[in-house]
Amino acid sequence: MTGPHAAAGLAEAFRALHHGRAPEDPLVLPGPWDAASARVFAEAGFPALATPSAGVAASLGYEDGHTPADEMFAAVARIVRAVDVPVSADLEGGYGLPPKELAERVLDAGVAGVNLEDGEAGALRDAAAHADWLAEFRAAAGDALFLNARVDTYVRGVPDPEETVRRARLYVAAGADGVYPLMAPPQLLPALRAEVDVPLNAFAVPDGPPPAGLGRLGASRVTYGPDLQRRATRALRDIARALRDGRHIG
């Protein structure tokens, strides 16, 4: 599926996947880090995927937050080309690109959605200024993307529910289709759901509620960040040790 019309169709299909879901059935989006892992998840039957910037960075040999923009866009485009399902891309804070240029590059990559965060250099961006930036991005991209606005209060040392809600509302007013309060405690999800009238993205952690539980708390979609890539790396380390030690790995 290629070309602008195909990309627009995938974006429309991706947006629809967020709505009309039962509470116990949130949209679960595995995070592929390269074309091969994307194909595995698509072949397993997932209706859409969401790349994690940290997982893609690791696959390219970079620390999280240090991937050059050109390499990130190229990697995302390869993932998009590898599967027929919609792909959302985590593009961190937009790599310092002006909103119009960022929108053009995102659309050229063929993604159906994008995560854009409000954290920068270990701190939070000014919320009003970030909302204006998102509004410019939204105007440039039109409706051809699902814009998921990440709220980084809980990962930038501001664990304040009221500030999280304030930022989420500003970003929704700017045109965000969904909000993603990364690392917000699960018990906060019902309050966020009540205050923000767009799909809510929850981050699944190994010792936290499963997707169905997060859905019942108010999440419309569930993502895993780089956790799946890291699990795959641990499994590969075990295989490497077995090979080094001369053990059978069949």
Side-chain angles (χ1 to χ4, degrees), residues 58-243:
S59 77
L60 297 173
Y62 294 101
E63 294 294 322
D64 185 23
H66 291 82
T67 309
D70 287 348
E71 293 198 44
M72 181 62 76
F73 282 113
V76 168
R78 285 192 294 272
I79 289 170
V80 170
R81 289 195 299 269
V83 296
D84 291 328
V85 299
V87 175
S88 180
D90 181 351
L91 297 178
E92 303 177 60
Y95 306 106
L97 297 171
K100 186 175 185 297
E101 181 181 348
L102 178 62
E104 290 171 354
R105 298 198 67 174
V106 169
L107 293 172
D108 285 345
V111 298
V114 62
N115 277 9
L116 293 171
E117 64 195 53
D118 65 356
E120 182 179 53
L124 288 167
R125 294 177 177 176
D126 178 80
H130 185 63
D132 289 343
W133 185 84
L134 287 176
E136 289 184 52
F137 176 84
R138 172 91 281 170
D143 291 330
L145 293 166
F146 185 100
L147 172 55
N148 199 36
R150 206 177 91 179
V151 183
D152 278 5
T153 45
Y154 281 84
V155 294
R156 301 294 182 180
V158 188
D160 181 347
E162 291 185 3
E163 178 63 9
T164 302
V165 168
R166 184 181 79 87
R167 286 174 173 266
R169 284 177 165 175
L170 281 172
Y171 305 157
V172 171
D177 297 290
V179 292
Y180 180 15
L182 180 61
M183 300 305 294
Q187 61 267 28
L188 179 62
L189 294 178
L192 282 172
R193 172 74 279 164
E195 296 287 346
V196 182
D197 191 26
V198 294
L200 187 64
N201 190 150
F203 179 62
V205 296
D207 58 350
L214 292 170
R216 283 189 286 267
L217 288 170
S220 299
R221 78 186 226 179
V222 175
T223 52
Y224 293 82
D227 183 59
L228 304 180
Q229 180 270 331
R230 289 169 180 169
R231 290 185 183 208
T233 298
R234 289 196 294 271
L236 187 57
R237 286 196 184 103
D238 290 340
I239 293 172
R241 292 189 189 101
L243 289 172

